[in-house]
Structure formats: structure tokens, C-alpha cells
Amino acid sequence: MVGSYPKPPDEGEPFVLRKALHSLDRGEATRDDVEKAVEALTEQMITEQENAGIDIITDGHAGWPDLLRPFAETWAGFEVGGLLRWFDNNTYYRRPVCTGPVECRGPATVEAFRFASSVASHPVKAVIPGPVTFARLSVDEHYRDHEKFVMAIAPVLAQEVFELAAAGARYIQIDEPALLGAPEDVALAQRALGVVVAEAEPAEVTLATYFGDALRVGPEIFDLPADVVGLDLVSGPASIDLIEHAPRGAKIQAGIIDARNTKLEPVDDLVAMIDSIETAIDDADLRLSPSAGLEFLPREKARAKLHRLGEVAERVRT
């Protein structure tokens, strides 16, 4: 898995979490009621991933309105701003606004990770936004300097990573989709990610990019401090050419399943894509994933995509 999973249930089923949130707004429910609904949805998401044969799952982000919100609502120095389109998707997020020094006020995602791990039989991958992506998708009214803003975010994310690793996270993913559109930030990302990743031991760290190809970033993407590099080979099929520059023994998370299109890919087409990747790399550790989080799809379509991914992985293994 890459990250998110669809929150709405199958058509005709009750959307318990939405009802709980609406009841909370009307004063007819408590935060505990909402938390119970989030936990129930998390269990459903985990069950569907595991039943599909996914080896490394996520909690599905059942309680996350978007990738940035849990952190913007937890850290000092941020307010939650207005709606903005999430990259080139028909979904929106609330833009964080930095109004003061960024400081940690406790972990944002550790409790959710602990719960997911307690109900999962497979390893749960923790997911956080990267410092460059967080900065580029926010409004900086305090530092008023991109480099200083990124480097202020990095140690706070490092604290989150430290807490996740201490809570037992074996896999931590850092999402940097905005880096694909800002190759000028590669050197800055090297420094900032170095601060974050330094606190991740002994967890394995994946640097995830999506919603485009990584050609503008170039082979330098493999120099960034991460154990695994995630590439979206659906939105950016040309990134397969970039894999030729991966160092020997590199670990690649190959996004081969389209996370934003309901059409189910034929098994033979996916196997052919994997064959082309394997010819471009030298003794690399190849992992198969959706191209991005699956939140953009109806639940039944996302579930079918995961089953197809598991089917393809099993065929490749044999």
C-alpha cells in the first residue's frame, strides 16, 4: 500500500463515520463516538488489504481529512486554512497556514498507528508528509523564507518519526509528491530528509513520490536519504527509464496499479510492465504498489485493484 484507502463504504451500506461526524457537529455525539467510528473503519480497511494479499499495509488514514491535517492540527505554529485542490485531483485539502514558530506538541499519528498494529496481522507502514511537500502546500506567514520554513518543519517531523519507531513501526513512508514539481529543492530535500530519517532507526524508510514522473528530479532521487524509493509509473511511465540509474541493490516501490482510474488493468499488461522494469535494474529489490493512495476510487474498485495487485505479485513470484 502507498497510503490512503477510500472512506465511503460500498454502495448502499451506511457511512458510519460520516454520520458520527455530522452528529458531533449537531451536538448529538461525542469525540469518543467519532473515535470509535474511526477505529471500526480502520479495522475494515485493514481487513480488506490483508484479504487482498497485501504484504505491507497502512491504516488507510481513516481519521485523516488529508495528508497534512493531523500534523497542522497538532503542531504549534499552524492554523488550518481554506480549501485548495489536491494536486490535479478532484479532491481538496485545507491548506496549513504557518503563523508562528513550528514546534512539536506531541505526536500526531502514533496512537492511530498503535491501534492499527493491534488489529492487523501484517506489518503496518506509518506514513507522514515530507518537509518539502508540507512547506510547498502550506502558507508561510512567519519565516517568509522557503529554506528556513522547510528546515523548521524537518525536526518536528523527525520527532514524529522517532515516536513512530519507538512505537514499533518497522516501515515508515515519507511522502514527497511536491518534489517532482520542484527539482530545485533536491539539495534542500537532501538536508531536510537527512534530519528526519536520522530518527527512524531501526525502521526502513520509503521516500514516496506520485502524481507525475521523476525525470525532472533526475538520478539524484536515488541519492536522497531513504532505503526505498517510490515511483508512480502510471502518471509517470517515463520514470522506468530513470530506474536504469538506480544503484545496484536499490529498493524500488513501483506504482504499477492506477490509483485514480476505476478501470482494472489486465494481469498480462502488468506482468509485462514488471518485466520491463526488471530489465532496467540490476539486482534491485522490487516492490509492487498502487501509483498513489486509493482514496480517489469507490471502495469496491479500490478493493478490486488490491486483489489484482496481489494476483500479479503472486504470478511474478512463481
Side-chain angles (χ1 to χ4, degrees):
M1 274 292 282
V2 173
S4 60
Y5 197 69
K7 295 182 181 68
D10 290 341
E11 188 174 355
E13 296 295 320
F15 195 165
V16 177
L17 177 56
R18 178 177 290 172
K19 288 182 177 180
L21 290 168
H22 288 170
S23 295
L24 179 66
D25 290 340
R26 295 192 300 266
E28 298 170 358
T30 66
R31 287 286 178 188
D32 285 343
D33 295 324
V34 172
E35 186 58 31
K36 288 177 182 177
V38 168
E39 290 181 350
L41 180 54
T42 299
E43 287 195 65
Q44 292 173 16
M45 292 173 165
I46 286 173
T47 297
E48 292 186 17
Q49 292 175 65
E50 292 184 337
N51 287 346
I54 303 304
D55 298 311
I56 302 174
I57 65 171
T58 70
D59 67 359
H61 302 176
W64 298 26
D66 57 63
L67 178 66
L68 309 184
R69 187 88 68 85
F71 306 90
E73 291 182 338
T74 301
W75 298 342
F78 276 101
E79 297 177 358
V80 177
L83 290 171
L84 198 66
R85 191 176 183 187
W86 182 248
F87 290 87
D88 60 347
N89 303 291
N90 291 323
T91 57
Y92 296 82
Y93 76 104
R94 289 202 175 272
R95 199 173 190 187
V97 180
C98 181
T99 59
V102 181
E103 297 176 359
C104 180
R105 294 191 299 196
T109 62
V110 170
E111 288 306 313
F113 169 79
R114 285 197 177 108
F115 174 78
S117 297
S118 74
V119 299
S121 58
H122 289 55
V124 177
K125 177 169 60 176
V127 180
I128 66 168
V132 169
T133 292
F134 203 105
R136 286 201 166 268
L137 299 185
S138 301
V139 177
D140 174 19
E141 295 182 350
H142 175 71
Y143 297 95
R144 301 186 184 279
D145 179 280
H146 179 58
E147 180 178 346
K148 289 180 180 178
F149 189 30
V150 170
M151 295 309 296
I153 292 169
V156 187
L157 284 172
Q159 182 63 33
E160 186 79 15
V161 162
F162 174 83
E163 299 285 354
L164 286 165
R170 293 165 50 193
Y171 303 95
I172 297 174
Q173 179 176 292
I174 303 175
D175 285 16
E176 282 286 22
L179 186 61
L180 299 185
E184 66 273 18
D185 276 356
V186 169
L188 178 58
Q190 179 89 28
R191 291 170 52 206
L193 288 168
V195 172
V196 179
V197 172
E199 301 297 332
E201 292 186 2
E204 177 188 81
V205 175
T206 296
L207 177 68
T209 63
Y210 41 83
F211 303 150
D213 69 57
L215 291 184
R216 289 181 63 199
V217 177
E220 289 80 7
I221 196 169
F222 298 111
D223 296 329
L224 295 174
D227 302 299
V228 185
V229 174
L231 299 172
D232 178 348
L233 301 182
V234 176
S235 297
S239 292
I240 292 177
D241 297 334
L242 190 63
I243 294 176
E244 295 179 0
H245 300 280
R248 183 178 180 84
K251 296 179 181 180
I252 307 294
Q253 179 174 289
I256 63 169
I257 293 281
D258 194 338
R260 299 190 284 176
N261 190 314
T262 58
K263 183 180 179 181
L264 193 61
E265 298 88 342
V267 171
D268 288 344
D269 290 355
L270 294 172
V271 171
M273 180 185 290
I274 294 166
D275 288 342
S276 68
I277 297 169
E278 288 181 329
T279 61
I281 56 181
D282 182 14
D283 192 29
D285 182 340
L286 183 63
R287 303 177 184 192
L288 308 179
S289 74
S291 59
L294 293 170
E295 64 184 307
F296 312 101
L297 300 177
R299 179 80 73 84
E300 62 272 17
K301 297 296 184 181
R303 190 164 55 242
K305 292 272 186 174
L306 288 185
H307 278 274
R308 180 52 47 91
L309 185 64
E311 183 181 357
V312 170
E314 186 61 28
R315 178 164 158 182
V316 171
R317 287 185 181 118
T318 56

